[in-house]
Amino acid sequence: MIPRTSFARAARRTLRPQCSQTPNNRRTLASAKSAGYSYETGEVNGIKFASRDIPGPTTQLALVARAGTRFQVFPGFAEGLEKFAFKSTHKRSSLRITRESELLGAELFAYHSRENLVIGAKFLRDDLPYFTELLGEVISKTRFTRHELHEEVIRVIKLNQKSILANTDQMALNSAHSVAFHRGLGTALHPTSSVPITQYLHEQELAMFSQAAYAKPNFAIVANGASHDELEKWVGEFYNDSPATPPKDFPAIETKPSKYYGGEERIAHDGGNNMIIAFPGSGAYTGGHYKPEIAVLSSLLGGQSYIKWSPGFSLLARACRAQTQAHVSTRNLSYSDAGLLTISLEGKASHIREASQAVVDILQAISGGDIEKDDIQKAVAKAKFRTLEAGQNIGTGLELTGAGLVQSGKPSNLDGIAEAIDGVTEDAVKRAAKSLLEGKATVSTVGDLFVLPFAEEIGLNV
């Protein structure tokens, strides 16, 4: 048996070097410009890729394609393409893909947003070659069989449609996008039950759409926890079968600039009450439509608290304290060439009515200069933190980086965004609030329409 005193001395010797290094490590992580969170980009055989070699035993790999609902050529195609990820290919059955991934201890995922389709995997670092090959196989060799379409894909889509019928928050958000942008970004994130998807969703057309969605200029590959040279090697080897251009005998993916319209829509529902008040927001930093003052205004309005046992510093959190049965939150939804600043209210109809009036009153107060300098400073700090946190987050960072590579050939610049937010002045926030009130708002209301207000009743232009 090892003597207790000898063990203690050995433990102290082992820990001493680690303790002496702790201050330096902390100083490095505290810097917003830490190189560890930057992506190294490249291009091989016409395919853009980026990697962030974070030390650790695991890797997360994703393929980001410009094939979200905004760019689908027919209803349900983005959802159909997502559901076909990791189904049978010309090389492997879906069962084999599942079993091999399980044997390697990996996790597979696929989802779509309004602009992007993301498929990827989380796995042990040494398995990068296998999963790089698998993603290349998914985008170029999926079989799109009829039985998988009808027995698995469409069946799951219809189940999602039923769940949306009871989700008033999702209904209000889809309504707000539809009213604000009409087509393109206005397309619902998931097809509703009234959309005749079986009229459009066929295996041959879906296979043709995949060739357009997965054409080399239309996607990028992003990895966290992988060597740049190693990723370049495997991408160059496994993605030669991807088409260089979309098929000519199929409708092209439209990339028309988004246009904001505004307006109002009201939907009666007995399952809950939601109201979204929205305005033109800030686009993504890589798209040239970034407005840092909107990010600060979003944090200033707020509504939700991020500090335990505190209602928070935000103006809406203070103004809506009496409306205890109404939850208020503000966020800016960024897209490549547009944005939507949304103020979401959920809860009891009478409390939402009162809180919605507070939203307009506070915007008027901000535009009139009735705001404390201390609140602006807090909002700048919060906006900066939320932006840097989103970029640092592995899952969010994968999609942001991939989308930036596809849109502009460069990843999102976190340091540039932080500097832009730091430069926001009190006057810039006032002007932003004033321009929102002078323009057309977007108001989507779902729930008890007898109680919930119209836009003009609370002083908004629609």
Side-chain angles (χ1 to χ4, degrees):
M1 179 181 295
I2 300 175
R4 185 184 184 95
T5 55
S6 300
F7 180 80
R9 283 196 299 270
R12 284 195 295 271
R13 285 196 298 269
T14 303
L15 291 174
R16 192 175 296 124
Q18 298 177 5
C19 294
S20 65
Q21 294 173 2
T22 300
N24 290 334
N25 291 339
R26 285 177 179 170
R27 282 195 296 270
T28 302
L29 293 175
S31 173
K33 295 186 178 182
S34 174
Y37 297 124
S38 301
Y39 282 90
E40 187 177 356
T41 62
E43 185 171 338
V44 55
N45 297 333
I47 299 172
K48 302 179 183 69
F49 68 95
S51 64
R52 187 163 64 175
D53 195 0
I54 301 175
T58 63
T59 298
Q60 189 164 337
L61 179 71
L63 186 147
V64 183
R66 185 167 52 182
T69 51
R70 173 183 178 176
F71 301 111
Q72 63 184 6
V73 294
F74 296 113
F77 270 45
E79 183 112 1
L81 205 56
E82 173 207 321
K83 297 294 186 288
F84 257 110
F86 307 112
K87 296 297 183 187
S88 299
T89 69
H90 290 289
K91 182 177 179 180
R92 285 177 265 212
S93 67
S94 60
L95 179 62
R96 179 182 169 184
I97 292 173
T98 300
R99 292 293 179 263
E100 289 178 348
S101 299
E102 289 175 341
L103 286 171
L104 295 173
E107 297 179 10
L108 306 178
F109 62 87
Y111 68 89
H112 72 276
S113 60
R114 281 188 159 78
E115 289 194 304
N116 305 305
L117 171 63
V118 183
I119 59 175
K122 304 175 186 178
F123 48 87
L124 296 174
R125 191 182 183 103
D126 292 339
D127 297 327
L128 178 65
Y130 173 84
F131 288 99
T132 308
E133 180 185 12
L134 178 60
L135 294 191
E137 188 178 315
V138 167
I139 68 172
S140 61
K141 294 182 173 63
T142 296
R143 293 176 59 195
F144 294 100
T145 59
R146 178 173 297 183
H147 73 274
E148 285 180 318
L149 174 65
H150 291 279
E151 296 175 11
E152 300 181 24
V153 174
I154 291 181
R155 181 180 65 85
V156 174
I157 291 177
K158 289 185 175 180
L159 290 174
N160 288 341
Q161 289 178 325
K162 292 180 179 179
S163 67
I164 293 173
L165 288 174
N167 191 334
T168 56
D169 180 51
Q170 187 69 36
M171 291 177 66
L173 190 61
N174 282 333
S175 169
H177 279 82
S178 177
V179 171
F181 299 111
H182 293 183
R183 298 184 183 275
L185 288 175
T187 304
L189 188 59
H190 302 280
T192 60
S193 57
S194 58
V195 176
I197 57 170
T198 53
Q199 178 179 329
Y200 301 97
L201 207 54
H202 303 287
E203 60 273 14
Q204 297 92 342
E205 287 77 4
L206 199 56
M208 294 289 285
F209 177 63
S210 74
Q211 295 179 33
Y214 298 138
K216 290 182 179 180
N218 208 55
F219 73 89
I221 300 167
V222 188
N224 266 288
S227 163
H228 187 77
D229 292 338
E230 189 177 1
L231 181 63
E232 180 178 16
K233 172 186 175 182
W234 299 121
V235 169
E237 180 173 339
F238 294 129
Y239 288 79
N240 293 321
D241 293 333
S242 300
T245 57
K248 296 181 179 180
D249 54 347
F250 190 75
I253 294 178
E254 292 189 1
T255 57
K256 294 190 301 183
S258 298
K259 180 181 178 181
Y260 177 84
Y261 295 91
E264 183 175 18
E265 184 176 26
R266 294 167 64 83
I267 304 170
H269 202 290
D270 65 353
N273 300 288
N274 285 80
M275 185 175 185
I276 291 181
I277 301 172
F279 303 93
S282 169
Y285 185 82
T286 54
H289 298 268
Y290 184 66
K291 302 174 184 177
E293 63 275 13
I294 294 295
V296 175
L297 181 59
S298 174
S299 295
L300 182 63
L301 291 171
Q304 69 277 42
S305 174
Y306 297 96
I307 306 297
K308 191 173 180 63
W309 309 121
S310 168
F313 75 89
S314 66
L315 303 184
L316 284 177
R318 282 183 267 170
C320 299
R321 285 180 183 176
Q323 289 75 45
T324 56
Q325 298 185 49
H327 177 264
V328 185
S329 61
T330 307
R331 56 178 175 159
N332 178 70
L333 304 174
S334 297
Y335 304 106
S336 59
D337 61 352
L340 196 64
L341 177 65
T342 64
I343 303 164
S344 177
L345 304 98
E346 179 181 6
K348 188 177 180 180
S350 59
H351 284 214
I352 290 178
R353 184 182 184 93
E354 296 168 1
S356 64
Q357 184 62 62
V359 170
V360 180
D361 293 343
I362 287 175
L363 282 172
Q364 291 173 343
I366 296 172
S367 65
D370 186 13
I371 183 174
E372 298 292 334
K373 186 176 181 179
D374 185 54
D375 289 331
I376 294 289
Q377 292 176 344
K378 292 177 182 177
V380 169
K382 173 55 70 175
K384 183 177 178 180
F385 168 77
R386 291 168 69 177
T387 301
L388 293 175
E389 183 194 32
Q392 178 183 336
N393 179 276
I394 292 179
T396 308
L398 287 172
E399 183 177 355
L400 287 175
T401 301
L405 288 175
V406 174
Q407 295 159 9
S408 61
K410 58 183 179 180
S412 187
N413 183 357
L414 292 181
D415 293 337
I417 297 174
E419 290 175 4
I421 293 176
D422 277 334
V424 174
T425 63
E426 185 176 343
D427 288 338
V429 176
K430 294 176 185 177
R431 290 193 299 271
K434 185 177 181 180
S435 67
L436 297 184
L437 290 173
E438 290 176 347
K440 290 185 67 175
T442 293
V443 180
S444 294
T445 307
V446 180
D448 185 357
L449 301 186
F450 180 76
V451 179
L452 295 171
F454 283 86
E456 68 171 343
E457 292 176 355
I458 56 177
L460 289 174
N461 300 319
V462 291

